[in-house]
Amino acid sequence: MMQPSFHLATPPCSPIREACKEFPHSIGRSEGNSPLIGSSGRAERLEAPPPQAGSGSMAAMAAAEEAEVEAVVSRHREELLAERYHFNTGLLMAEARSRLQWADGKSIKNEVDLQVLHLLGPKTEADLEKKPKVAKARPAPVEKQKAPVVENGEVGTETKSLLEQLRGEALKFHKPGENYKTEGYVVTPNTMALLKQHLAVTGGQVRTRFPPEPNGILHIGHAKAINFNFGYAEANGGICFLRYDDTNPEKEEEKYFTAIREMVEWLGYQPYAVTHASDYFDQLYTWALELIRRGQAYVCHQKVEEIKGHNPPPSPWRDRPVEESLVLFEDMRKGKFGEGEATLRMKLVMEDGKMDPVAYRVKFTPHHRTGDKWCIYPTYDYTHCLCDSIEHITHSLCTKEFQARRSSYFWLCNALDVYCPVQWEYGRLNLLYTVVSKRKIIRLVETGAVRDWDDPRLFTLTALRRRGFPPEAINNFCARVGVTVAQATMEPHLLEACVRDVLNEQAPRAMAVLEPLKVTITNFPAPQTIDVLVPNFPADESRGFHKVPFQSVVYIEETDFKEEADRGYKRLALGQPVGLRHTGYVIAVQNVIKDAHGRVIELEVTCTKSDAAEKPKAFIHWVSEPRVCEVRLYERLFLHKNPEDPSEVPGGFLSDLNPDSLHVVDNALVDSSVLGAQPFDKFQFERLGYFSVDPDSNDSKLVFNRTVTLKEDPGKA
């Protein structure tokens, strides 16, 4: 509301002002931050309407101002007397401003100061002393097993990883119960009482929530949201809810509910409680009726096409009588309207200019949890803030695209006079060379470009788990990205670097050969197999060894042999011996056996003890008495960094598929140390990379997915 351009004349002295003349220099100033009153998106509450301009209006306005400030001061009288000038008088200003929106801010401030002075008297020495900070008692965090986390090559703890995330915007966050100190937070006359009730419920505990819609599988961007919501709560001794936003029954399936919880727990987090928006459908409906009764919502018959976009025509039903909207909303609930024939809309203008967002719509679709009980379902704009209020969330953390919903968030809580949390927005996490849109992933599955949501070439969390990415690496990646307002678009190799850091510490070594070449040692030094001890982790032999059989026939990689060595080639060649890793022997080629097409199919070699031979230029891996396995080698699914960008890929993302994104090796050989491995077990195949056992494995044949190579491919940088 516009403030009048004139200034108030000096009003007649009241008893309060007369008393204040005795100590005019002792007026206390408010300490702490004064809350900002939002200029839009709130329930309009004018406790004192402005007097009409004209004769005597100045005195009337001054009297109204004095009366309203006096009422505010009276409400906080006990706290003022207890805290004296340490009390944050900005709260008094906020309440007075909400009642006197027509008045001049300076005038209100003077009135507040005068009345506080009259109540408390001049400042004493104790008032001038700095208020000591009292540490708030926080509930002890739940004890849980700390998973090892690798940070920059060093083993750390989960706590370090969590605290690392709390950079950037999180440093500005309000303390529980101090919501009013947040810029843009809307303060009403009931705000402080509601915050007091809120603190009584929570005990000053930080409460967050992770609110996924169960209509698809979580992706790498959700990992940041999970880490931030659960991590912020845990780092502050608080709790985090997993709340399913299940308000759209047409797209929700049981498999998504299950997969979402699995991924949250896979990343190492246990929800304080698992809730659903549908848990609160009865309460949400009751509040919708109350919103109509307060004149803040109405039943509208505009079609979806008519109200799309940011400049739709105003609804001709916006001012329909309250009683009429109540009857029609009840008819919606009873199924008397078809889908699209009626909606319940809220009377507000959002930050992006969109007018009157929809609160309820008709859908004749049975709900996963409530069955046929409802044929009307609430929207995100209506549901989310009220569910946050019900669960007494302190910090409603969401990505930047929801910033336009902040005004409706505050408006709705205040319109219903319920506890209003604070919505904080942060930048999304995106990766190049991928798509994460549910609709586009479904297209990839339907066209056969990928097998399913968990295809290891995707960046859904189920796909990353199947590929072998450890959850600690994903958490570390999110921590390194940090929390900022700006959107973060990262190269996949940065995530892969985090994966290598963790797997270097977690994945035991084994030997495998992808393109086998038979090698017969003609002077094998023993009549039977020799057991070779191979360290599980060469950098730390205290972590154990495993036995690998070594006999006269071994297999090496085809690429580890050339008949004629090029300049710089250091592996096996005629006249150029190499060492066999872990055996203590060096082999030298004596004879090359080829097939009818001239392809090398076998080598005959001799071996010499390492300490008796000249030091070789290289040591190569090998297998003996191996097991046949399938190995799947993955590359990027898309050729361009931004497959969804029409300027970069004019033909659309499906035209940008990499034809070499998957190469299957059907008859790779692996040493016997991996026998008995279970799905998702991880190994480093020496000189080849990190590999994970795929769930397709069976008793007769193991299947391995290459997680990442040992070193980053320079071509990907």
Side-chain angles (χ1 to χ4, degrees):
M1 183 176 294
M2 295 288 292
Q3 294 181 359
S5 58
F6 55 82
H7 295 284
L8 293 175
T10 305
C13 284
S14 67
I16 292 176
R17 288 180 178 76
E18 289 294 339
C20 290
K21 288 179 181 177
E22 298 176 20
F23 27 81
H25 303 295
S26 305
I27 296 175
R29 298 186 178 276
S30 61
E31 296 179 10
N33 297 324
S34 297
L36 298 176
I37 306 300
S39 59
S40 64
R42 60 176 172 185
E44 296 294 336
R45 301 185 55 154
L46 294 178
E47 301 289 340
Q52 297 299 314
S55 178
S57 64
M58 296 297 188
M61 292 175 77
E65 183 179 300
E66 182 180 342
E68 290 300 331
V69 172
E70 190 170 354
V72 171
V73 170
S74 295
R75 185 173 10 256
H76 294 279
R77 179 183 175 86
E78 290 184 14
E79 297 163 85
L80 277 162
L81 291 172
E83 296 187 39
R84 291 185 57 78
Y85 288 105
H86 292 302
F87 181 81
N88 182 6
T89 54
L91 300 180
L92 308 181
M93 270 294 295
E95 285 194 33
R97 283 295 298 270
S98 68
R99 290 165 166 263
L100 299 163
Q101 296 181 25
W102 46 268
D104 180 74
K106 275 187 180 178
S107 177
I108 296 174
K109 175 69 166 58
N110 289 337
E111 186 66 39
V112 168
D113 287 345
L114 285 167
Q115 294 204 29
V116 169
L117 179 59
H118 177 62
L119 176 65
L120 303 180
K123 284 186 177 181
T124 65
E125 289 186 12
D127 293 325
L128 297 172
E129 290 177 4
K130 241 184 174 179
K131 187 177 180 180
K133 289 187 177 179
V134 180
K136 287 186 179 178
R138 286 180 178 149
V142 178
E143 287 294 326
K144 73 175 188 178
Q145 189 67 35
K146 298 290 185 185
V149 175
V150 179
E151 286 275 345
N152 299 320
E154 298 178 1
V155 179
T157 64
E158 186 179 21
T159 303
K160 179 180 177 183
S161 179
L162 293 176
L163 294 177
E164 184 68 14
Q165 296 173 46
L166 306 182
R167 297 179 292 175
E169 287 304 292
L171 298 176
K172 304 176 186 176
F173 286 179
H174 66 283
K175 295 177 182 178
E178 295 185 354
N179 305 28
Y180 57 85
K181 290 188 176 181
T182 304
E183 184 176 349
Y185 189 79
V186 181
V187 177
T188 73
N190 291 335
T191 294
M192 299 315 296
L194 291 167
L195 287 175
K196 190 173 182 180
Q197 294 170 12
H198 160 71
L199 287 173
V201 171
T202 66
Q205 184 180 49
V206 166
R207 288 188 171 204
T208 61
R209 82 291 167 270
F210 173 59
E213 188 178 355
N215 64 353
I217 300 297
L218 303 181
H219 55 71
I220 186 67
H222 291 111
K224 178 178 178 179
I226 292 169
N227 268 271
F228 193 22
N229 276 284
F230 282 89
Y232 184 74
E234 186 170 330
N236 288 279
I239 59 176
C240 183
F241 293 76
L242 168 58
R243 185 205 307 143
Y244 294 108
D245 181 27
D246 57 342
T247 58
N248 192 357
E250 294 172 327
K251 298 182 179 180
E252 293 156 8
E253 296 181 41
E254 173 63 29
K255 66 178 181 180
Y256 298 138
F257 285 85
T258 304
I260 287 170
R261 182 164 185 177
E262 281 182 0
M263 290 301 96
V264 169
E265 293 178 349
W266 176 64
L267 288 177
Y269 298 107
Q270 284 295 327
Y272 167 75
V274 177
T275 60
H276 307 73
S278 57
D279 295 339
Y280 311 120
F281 275 179
D282 288 318
Q283 178 63 68
L284 294 173
Y285 177 74
T286 300
W287 274 337
L289 293 173
E290 180 62 22
L291 202 62
I292 297 171
R293 291 190 191 101
R294 294 185 178 210
Q296 301 289 5
Y298 63 97
V299 173
C300 177
H301 304 288
Q302 284 180 297
K303 303 297 182 187
V304 174
E305 297 74 25
E306 294 180 76
I307 59 177
K308 272 186 176 178
H310 291 290
N311 294 300
S315 171
W317 294 279
R318 194 174 201 266
D319 297 319
R320 77 187 328 158
V322 166
E323 291 304 321
E324 188 177 318
S325 280
L326 285 170
V327 171
L328 293 172
F329 188 51
E330 180 67 10
D331 288 344
M332 287 173 60
R333 188 186 69 81
K334 291 179 177 178
K336 294 183 179 181
F337 288 103
E339 293 189 10
E341 290 182 0
T343 59
L344 182 69
R345 296 176 68 181
M346 298 176 282
K347 292 184 181 180
L348 79 147
V349 180
M350 299 175 71
E351 289 184 20
D352 59 359
K354 189 174 181 181
M355 189 172 182
D356 295 359
V358 171
Y360 270 87
R361 71 277 202 216
V362 177
K363 283 184 181 290
F364 293 105
T365 304
H367 189 274
H368 173 77
R369 300 183 70 244
T370 61
D372 294 323
K373 179 178 178 179
W374 299 93
C375 65
I376 57 171
Y377 293 98
T379 61
Y380 175 91
D381 287 321
Y382 179 78
T383 306
H384 188 70
C385 62
L386 295 180
C387 288
D388 281 353
S389 179
I390 291 169
E391 293 175 353
H392 283 275
I393 301 304
T394 58
H395 299 76
S396 183
L397 309 175
C398 58
T399 46
K400 200 70 176 162
E401 65 266 31
F402 291 98
Q403 184 169 343
R405 266 76 175 260
R406 189 197 297 181
S407 56
S408 65
Y409 187 106
F410 291 158
W411 179 90
L412 185 51
C413 290
N414 291 325
L416 288 168
D417 278 330
V418 297
Y419 162 69
C420 183
V422 178
Q423 175 175 303
W424 289 94
E425 303 91 13
Y426 60 92
R428 289 183 60 160
L429 169 59
N430 292 331
L431 280 185
L432 299 173
Y433 296 101
T434 190
V435 298
V436 294
S437 157
K438 296 166 187 173
R439 180 177 56 84
K440 290 176 180 175
I441 291 176
I442 288 172
R443 290 283 293 129
L444 290 170
V445 174
E446 289 173 344
T447 57
V450 297
R451 288 173 51 176
D452 208 338
W453 289 82
D454 65 347
D455 188 296
R457 289 167 290 180
L458 296 173
F459 281 84
T460 61
L461 294 184
T462 50
L464 295 178
R465 178 179 65 170
R466 185 166 190 167
R467 184 160 173 170
F469 281 37
E472 298 92 336
I474 295 173
N475 293 345
N476 286 353
F477 175 65
C478 293
R480 291 179 186 181
V481 171
V483 180
T484 60
V485 172
Q487 177 175 292
T489 301
M490 313 298 289
E491 290 270 4
H493 70 77
L494 300 174
L495 172 58
E496 292 171 0
C498 292
V499 172
R500 290 188 190 93
D501 285 347
V502 173
L503 290 182
N504 184 52
E505 296 290 332
Q506 290 186 356
R509 277 39 170 182
M511 290 191 289
V513 172
L514 303 186
E515 298 174 328
L517 174 60
K518 183 179 179 181
V519 175
T520 300
I521 303 173
T522 57
N523 65 335
F524 191 73
Q528 55 190 7
T529 301
I530 300 173
D531 283 334
V532 173
L533 287 178
V534 177
N536 295 326
F537 296 89
D540 183 4
E541 294 188 353
S542 68
R543 298 177 69 180
F545 293 79
H546 59 272
K547 291 181 180 179
V548 173
F550 176 44
Q551 58 179 206
S552 59
V553 174
V554 299
Y555 296 86
I556 67 172
E557 293 283 357
E558 274 191 355
T559 53
D560 279 342
F561 169 72
K562 282 186 177 182
E563 289 190 74
E564 294 184 15
D566 300 330
R567 184 178 179 181
Y569 183 79
K570 296 181 179 180
R571 286 163 283 171
L572 186 61
L574 289 171
Q576 183 168 292
V578 296
L580 293 180
R581 291 175 68 83
H582 310 297
T583 63
Y585 285 93
V586 174
I587 59 171
V589 178
Q590 302 299 310
N591 188 29
V592 178
I593 301 171
K594 301 180 181 180
D595 63 13
H597 302 287
R599 179 172 176 267
V600 176
I601 57 173
E602 184 180 352
L603 300 176
E604 291 180 345
V605 303
T606 57
C607 69
T608 308
K609 274 277 194 182
S610 297
D611 53 10
E614 185 178 339
K615 184 178 179 181
K617 290 185 177 180
F619 288 82
I620 61 174
H621 64 281
W622 52 275
V623 292
S624 188
E625 289 187 18
R627 301 296 186 269
V628 177
C629 65
E630 178 182 315
V631 174
R632 298 169 182 172
L633 307 175
Y634 298 99
E635 298 294 342
R636 288 175 179 156
L637 183 59
F638 296 99
L639 298 170
H640 291 83
K641 285 187 174 184
N642 301 292
E644 299 170 276
D645 184 349
S647 64
E648 199 169 329
V649 185
F653 73 101
L654 289 176
S655 70
D656 196 46
L657 293 170
N658 177 8
D660 299 318
S661 63
L662 171 61
H663 175 57
V664 178
V665 181
D666 290 313
N667 295 299
L669 302 177
V670 64
D671 72 46
S672 57
S673 67
V674 303
L675 292 181
Q678 300 299 309
F680 306 115
D681 283 353
K682 297 164 182 57
F683 300 91
Q684 184 196 109
F685 290 167
E686 296 197 30
R687 299 179 64 226
L688 297 180
Y690 294 101
F691 292 77
S692 179
V693 180
D694 189 87
D696 286 344
S697 299
N698 53 49
D699 292 339
S700 60
K701 193 173 187 179
L702 286 172
V703 178
F704 290 93
N705 295 317
R706 184 173 67 189
T707 306
V708 288
T709 55
L710 288 179
K711 293 182 180 179
E712 181 189 332
D713 182 348
K716 292 182 181 179

